[in-house]
Amino acid sequence: MFTEMSGSAEEEPLAKAATVTEDLYQLRDTFFPENPDDKVSKLRQESDLALKLLDSIPPEQRKMPMQRATLEYLRGKILDVFPDFSKEAEDHLSKAVKLNPSLADAWLCLGNCIWKKGDLSGAKNCLTLALSKGPNKKILCQLSMLKRRMSQGAEIQSELVEESIQHAKEAIALDVKDGNSWYNLGNAYLTSFFVTGAWDHSKLLHSLKAYQNAEKDERMKSNPDLYFNCATVNKYLENYDRALSGFEVAALKDPGLSAADEVQKIVILLDKLVNLLRGPVRAKRMGSLAAINCKLPSVNPSYKRATIDLLSLGMNRAVAVEGKVLFFVKNESVAPLYYSLCDSNQTCFVLSVYGLRNDVIKEGDQLTLLDPFFRHVDFMWKEKHYQFKSIRVDFSEQVLVNGKALTSQQAVRSSIYAQHKP
């Protein structure tokens, strides 16, 4: 928008003001001091300088409606750089779109400003109007984000999140190398994972791929939220080492995030799992060996019985593993549920279960695990060695409890969106 202005000596002050405004937003998106107040103070200082620059533009360069619209837009955008709603910013942005209705960036900023005061439908109208001016990846990303916000508590929650995913894909189609668009798509898929009950790992895999594409854009490497959300995906994929590394990077980039707390939660969980598998469980193991039956009850005969040591890494289709629940492992996260089990060879392993109520499986129950996803966890973190065998099951149909299939009432498919808001 400002490229054409720079060719005229009269318009140079406007072009300079536009550059300063973009620099202000770059500061907002990349400056994360340990004390959040320092960021607000720095933004206040730089925004005051930007406003003084606007005030210094000669009156003769403010006469034309297009110039006045640009000035109102820049002033409104500068005032809107802070996280709280600014009525003054809204007023200037409203004047800008009245003076020049085709100014898409002004509509975009006005929509963001109105969003801050909680008028989501008004924000949507602004962004839709902005999009009517022509394809725009920034507007599509903002609309995608807004749809996710609108989904919270809505009856059509899943539908709105799917619309968010579609808008994110449309933005990528306009610029496949834009890291922010890929980051937005990753957030949309991660939100979809939570909204649908945190059990569909295909959404996590889509999210992870999008974040990996976002990381290819050098500009995104200063975004701590990218590392935080990517670490969150790896946590639910049970890539614990990658999750720990990602949260640690996010904490270094922005101390204000809860990334350090996430690291601590994972370490506490891993310590519990390792200690339970190594601890004094021999008596429980022997009891498990006696209790496990010789044949699989109510299982399709095409399934092959196996112990944990016979599993291949990844999905083991048409395989069934039996084990007795030794312990329920308390965990701060809503999903998954963790248990320690022992198979008929007295080999202990970790079981993570998605999509079930926490009262369905109890200590002492005998489980039959169908099509188990097997992982051998083995890595070092801060001089600690974490090593254990793990099975993950994603669907209630994969679990028989004491030989009985589970009912739909025992499954969980409700949203746990409030646990994470990307």
Side-chain angles (χ1 to χ4, degrees):
M1 181 181 72
F2 297 103
T3 305
E4 297 178 359
M5 297 179 182
S6 61
S8 167
E10 291 185 357
E11 302 294 356
E12 283 183 3
L14 275 178
K16 184 177 180 181
T19 299
V20 169
T21 303
E22 291 305 313
D23 290 344
L24 178 64
Y25 274 75
Q26 179 71 8
L27 175 68
R28 182 197 69 175
D29 296 337
T30 59
F31 180 51
F32 299 100
E34 190 165 347
N35 184 352
D37 292 338
D38 292 342
K39 179 172 183 174
V40 175
S41 177
K42 183 68 172 176
L43 285 175
R44 181 67 63 190
Q45 177 184 350
E46 296 300 322
S47 64
D48 287 345
L49 291 173
L51 290 171
K52 286 181 181 179
L53 178 60
L54 286 181
D55 292 336
S56 70
I57 294 176
E60 60 268 20
Q61 296 186 28
R62 302 166 178 259
K63 294 179 181 179
M64 299 296 292
M66 298 288 282
Q67 294 168 328
R68 287 167 52 203
T70 300
L71 283 168
E72 292 290 351
Y73 157 63
L74 291 175
R75 189 175 296 275
K77 187 170 183 177
I78 291 167
L79 292 168
D80 194 47
V81 74
F82 303 98
D84 295 329
F85 168 71
S86 167
K87 181 65 170 63
E88 189 178 359
E90 182 185 19
D91 291 342
H92 286 291
L93 292 168
S94 297
K95 289 179 183 177
V97 297
K98 287 178 181 177
L99 290 166
N100 184 4
S102 65
L103 198 55
D105 284 349
W107 282 110
L108 172 61
C109 288
L110 180 59
N112 185 63
C113 184
I114 292 174
W115 180 352
K116 289 180 182 178
K117 73 175 182 179
D119 183 2
L120 302 185
S121 60
K124 179 186 173 185
N125 290 337
C126 283
L127 295 176
T128 303
L129 275 170
L131 202 57
S132 70
K133 311 303 176 184
N136 186 305
K137 64 183 180 182
K138 290 184 179 179
I139 296 169
L140 285 165
C141 283
Q142 195 75 357
L143 190 57
S144 175
M145 292 167 59
L146 179 61
K147 289 291 180 72
R148 295 199 295 275
R149 176 62 182 84
M150 294 176 71
S151 74
Q152 297 180 41
E155 291 184 2
I156 55 171
Q157 190 176 41
S158 297
E159 289 87 340
L160 287 170
V161 174
E162 285 303 312
E163 290 177 14
S164 171
I165 292 173
Q166 186 57 39
H167 290 315
K169 289 181 177 179
E170 291 168 358
I172 292 170
L174 295 176
D175 184 359
V176 74
K177 294 183 178 180
D178 182 52
N180 185 63
S181 297
W182 281 109
Y183 167 65
N184 182 55
L185 179 61
N187 288 349
Y189 272 120
L190 181 54
T191 302
S192 182
F193 170 73
F194 285 107
V195 162
T196 55
W199 61 272
D200 187 351
H201 280 73
S202 67
K203 297 181 186 297
L204 290 179
L205 294 174
H206 287 311
S207 180
L208 184 61
K209 182 178 180 181
Y211 288 144
Q212 289 170 342
N213 283 325
E215 289 176 358
K216 296 176 184 178
D217 188 338
E218 287 293 324
R219 297 170 298 177
M220 294 302 297
K221 292 185 177 179
S222 60
N223 184 345
D225 292 330
L226 170 59
Y227 293 92
F228 185 97
N229 288 356
C230 189
T232 299
V233 170
N234 276 312
K235 180 181 75 171
Y236 283 95
L237 287 173
E238 299 175 29
N239 299 324
Y240 303 110
D241 50 342
R242 297 179 192 175
L244 288 167
S245 299
F247 282 128
E248 190 170 65
V249 172
L252 290 173
K253 290 182 177 292
D254 183 1
L257 288 173
S258 61
D261 293 336
E262 291 296 323
V263 170
Q264 188 63 17
K265 288 178 184 177
I266 295 175
V267 169
I268 290 173
L269 171 64
L270 291 172
D271 286 342
K272 282 183 179 180
L273 295 176
V274 170
N275 289 336
L276 281 175
L277 296 179
R278 292 176 179 171
V281 297
R282 180 169 178 79
K284 281 203 171 188
R285 287 187 184 181
M286 294 304 294
S288 301
L289 182 61
I292 294 177
N293 295 326
C294 296
K295 61 180 180 178
L296 300 175
S298 305
V299 176
N300 189 309
S302 63
Y303 275 82
K304 176 183 177 182
R305 181 178 182 177
T307 56
I308 189 78
D309 291 327
L310 297 177
L311 297 182
S312 302
L313 293 176
M315 181 69 71
N316 288 259
R317 297 193 182 280
V319 172
V321 173
E322 280 211 322
K324 186 174 181 180
V325 180
L326 303 181
F327 299 102
F328 169 66
V329 185
K330 292 183 179 180
N331 175 37
E332 290 191 37
S333 297
V334 175
L337 304 173
Y338 287 95
Y339 304 88
S340 68
L341 271 70
C342 178
D343 69 9
S344 59
N345 284 346
Q346 296 192 55
T347 302
C348 288
F349 61 95
V350 172
L351 172 67
S352 56
V353 181
Y354 295 80
L356 286 186
R357 297 202 324 255
N358 60 10
D359 60 349
V360 173
I361 298 174
K362 301 178 180 64
E363 293 182 2
D365 282 343
Q366 182 178 324
L367 305 185
T368 304
L369 310 174
L370 308 177
D371 302 313
F373 189 98
F374 175 68
R375 175 182 281 104
H376 187 200
V377 176
D378 187 359
F379 70 98
M380 296 289 297
W381 178 259
K382 306 297 184 185
E383 300 182 353
K384 287 185 178 180
H385 187 197
Y386 294 105
Q387 185 177 31
F388 56 87
K389 295 175 180 179
S390 174
I391 286 178
R392 186 189 83 214
V393 293
D394 299 324
F395 306 99
S396 58
E397 293 82 4
Q398 289 179 268
V399 183
L400 300 179
V401 179
N402 298 319
K404 297 180 180 178
L406 300 179
T407 65
S408 58
Q409 288 75 23
Q410 292 172 304
V412 175
R413 289 292 182 268
S414 60
S415 167
I416 60 168
Y417 181 76
Q419 298 299 315
H420 186 80
K421 301 177 181 178

